[in-house]
Amino acid sequence: MSSSHPPTPRSNPSLMPSLSLIIVGVVVIIAGALGLTLLVPQILPPQASTQAQQVDQLFTFLLFFGGVIFILVEGLILVSVIRFRARPGDLSDGPPIHGNTMLELVWTAVPAVLVAVLAILSYVVWVNTRAVVPNEMTVGATAARFAWTFNYEVSQDTLPTTLNFSDLKPEVQTDLTDEDGVVHFSNPKLYTWVDQPIVMEMQSQDVNHAFWVPAMRVKQDVLPGRTTEIRFTPTEAGNYRIVCAELCGSGHGAMAGEVGRDGELLGAWLIVYATEEEYLANFFDDAATAVLVPPDDPALLGRQILASGAYPCATCHTLDDQGWTGNIGPNLNGIGDRAAERAQTTGDADGAAYIEHSLRHPGDFLVPGFGNLMPQFNPDQGQPNYMPQNDLEAIVAYLLTQTANPSN
Ligand code: HEC
Ligand SMILES: [Cu+2]
């Protein structure tokens, strides 16, 4: 401001608002912040676990406090702009204010207390949502580019009621009575029932992934070479989408559950049944029976293994018989016809050898038009993408039946 103009004295409006104005302000601020919290159920996914209830409470609380501060600060700016605006012809500076110890103490102490309270509340929710609870059911999760596989176990105590231990094949009996005493089976979906606490034990075959079920409000990184855990207890029956929350490559998006054209659930979903009986009848008993009483025909066994989602082929390949619709790799319809032709190019003895070669060393021969993206399925336990020789042989036998005209 140039000093050649003598400052015109301004009639400063009083800095101190009247009591009634303060009361109106407080009511507006609190009502506004409460109004914001009413939006919470609209903007969040369904609230379907005990963890979700606690997370949402915390979120609502944070939104309320954030709302109070937001409306207070924005409101004061608005009031100042209007009430203390320069009047026409008034070119003076505002009143010089310097140093106000009381004000400075207040605006330091209030946020400090707020932040401390919020940190404590968040910590309590963090501890509660991760607490170990009785009767947890352990489910394994394997993340691979680009699919989730959920791993279940069946023991002598949890045999489906339709099976007798004595009717099982000797090798299955041994598996059920050896050190572990369990037989493992897998499924591309995660199943449980209402009020059954779940603890996920998660491993990655390759890169970092993250397990996320928005409706449960749980998210946890899944890292190669390490087992990570996450716990939740569903409270509402329903189907909930599972998502990979860590960009893991070109098929990352396909790791999330999707709804197919006819409303069918494709890929990774959490299915919560209302009761344990429904869980047993609709999922566990059949899935456990399939692995305890495996088909003798290797092609049927291979079909069952691939359908279990034990290997992440579905996201990359299309195969009508399995309902796969991926397109990162070649379409496998008719692979039974093609394999023998390909074997001539690659020097494999026959179609079976070609498919085996494709799985054990996919990089040796690339189908024209495709990149080197297929994971190598290894024969030794402990290696990533472990595929035992038995599984491999069954899968090869099955893929050979996938001819252009399978009835032949
Ligand atoms: C990350 C994506 C990906 C996954 C997972 C994957 N593949 Fe592949 N697959 C490819 C790509 C890309 C090719 C073509 C390049 C090549 O030949 O290696 C291929 C090629 C093949 C071939 C040769 C096809 C032909 O036309 O000659 C077979 C057979 C095959 N895959 C089977 C499988 C099976 C079975 C699984 C699961 C156990 C699987 N793939 C998992 C991407 C994948
Ligand atoms: Cu992923």
Side-chain angles (χ1 to χ4, degrees):
M1 195 91 2
S2 149
S3 52
S4 56
H5 294 272
T8 337
R10 65 195 280 178
S11 53
N12 278 317
S14 156
L15 274 174
M16 213 42 215
S18 66
L19 182 67
S20 53
L21 249 169
I22 294 183
I23 293 176
V24 169
V26 168
V27 169
V28 165
I29 287 171
I30 293 186
L34 283 175
L36 274 181
T37 64
L38 293 181
L39 294 174
V40 169
Q42 264 78 56
I43 55 184
L44 294 184
Q47 186 192 73
S49 70
T50 52
Q51 282 71 11
Q53 292 163 2
Q54 300 178 52
V55 169
D56 290 4
Q57 267 173 21
L58 179 66
F59 181 77
T60 309
F61 204 68
L62 293 181
L63 192 68
F64 176 75
F65 271 107
V68 165
I69 293 169
F70 177 78
I71 299 172
L72 177 72
V73 170
E74 298 300 317
L76 284 179
I77 291 177
L78 210 66
V79 166
S80 309
V81 163
I82 295 169
R83 197 169 152 83
F84 303 108
R85 70 187 183 280
R87 301 306 193 271
D90 178 357
L91 296 176
S92 68
D93 285 335
I97 299 174
H98 180 257
N100 186 327
T101 314
M102 192 55 179
L103 204 57
E104 284 166 21
L105 276 178
V106 169
W107 79 44
T108 308
V110 170
V113 170
L114 274 184
V115 168
V117 168
L118 297 182
I120 292 169
L121 287 175
S122 308
Y123 180 74
V124 169
V125 170
W126 165 256
V127 169
N128 283 347
T129 52
R130 301 177 71 87
V132 181
V133 292
N135 308 323
E136 280 181 341
M137 175 163 86
T138 306
V139 180
T142 310
R145 289 191 289 180
F146 299 102
W148 295 100
T149 307
F150 299 101
N151 308 303
Y152 304 82
E153 43 191 51
V154 50
S155 68
Q156 270 199 75
D157 302 333
T158 56
L159 285 189
T161 46
T162 47
L163 290 184
N164 280 322
F165 179 73
S166 51
D167 296 340
L168 299 173
K169 284 195 184 148
E171 61 269 24
V172 178
Q173 293 187 359
T174 319
D175 286 341
L176 283 171
T177 47
D178 70 5
E179 266 176 277
D180 291 346
V182 295
V183 168
H184 294 270
F185 62 96
S186 16
N187 197 282
K189 294 192 170 51
L190 175 55
Y191 293 89
T192 184
W193 64 95
V194 168
D195 290 341
Q196 169 59 49
I198 292 267
V199 51
M200 308 287 309
E201 294 197 340
M202 305 186 287
Q203 282 176 315
S204 167
Q205 297 284 347
D206 35 52
V207 298
N208 292 4
H209 301 267
F211 177 82
W212 183 26
V213 193
M216 302 289 131
R217 310 285 190 277
V218 290
K219 193 198 267 177
Q220 171 64 53
D221 282 354
V222 183
L223 309 167
R226 225 175 108 172
T227 302
T228 49
E229 283 187 348
I230 191 89
R231 306 186 136 76
F232 61 91
T233 307
T235 52
E236 297 281 337
N239 305 324
Y240 306 102
R241 189 189 296 265
I242 296 171
V243 179
C244 178
E246 182 76 57
L247 187 58
C248 57
S250 52
H252 163 69
M255 287 186 77
E258 280 176 73
V259 181
R261 223 169 271 169
D262 306 320
E264 72 276 28
L265 303 181
L266 305 173
W269 285 82
L270 165 66
I271 315 290
V272 179
Y273 290 112
T275 61
E276 181 174 6
E277 288 67 42
E278 273 185 47
Y279 164 86
L280 294 175
N282 291 311
F283 163 65
F284 185 86
D285 285 354
D286 284 350
T289 303
V291 66
L292 292 169
V293 190
D296 289 321
D297 177 351
L300 286 181
L301 180 61
R303 183 173 197 275
Q304 175 179 314
I305 293 172
L306 290 183
S308 78
Y311 301 102
C313 328
T315 349
C316 294
H317 290 290
T318 289
L319 180 58
D320 294 348
D321 187 51
Q322 294 274 348
W324 297 348
T325 55
N327 55 16
I328 294 171
N331 186 322
L332 293 183
N333 287 329
I335 183 69
D337 298 324
R338 238 173 20 246
E341 286 167 39
R342 294 252 208 261
Q344 290 167 7
T345 325
T346 58
D348 292 306
D350 54 13
Y354 167 74
I355 296 180
E356 172 159 353
H357 195 171
S358 298
L359 288 158
R360 288 286 191 232
H361 298 282
D364 287 359
F365 166 76
L366 297 183
V367 174
F370 293 92
N372 191 2
L373 285 171
M374 172 146 158
Q376 173 163 332
F377 292 94
N378 291 304
D380 295 320
Q381 206 159 6
Q383 286 178 291
N385 290 296
Y386 168 52
M387 182 184 279
Q389 192 63 24
N390 291 344
D391 282 15
L392 179 100
E393 280 162 18
I395 291 169
V396 170
Y398 164 68
L399 287 179
L400 286 173
T401 66
Q402 295 305 296
T403 51
N405 191 347
S407 55
N408 281 349

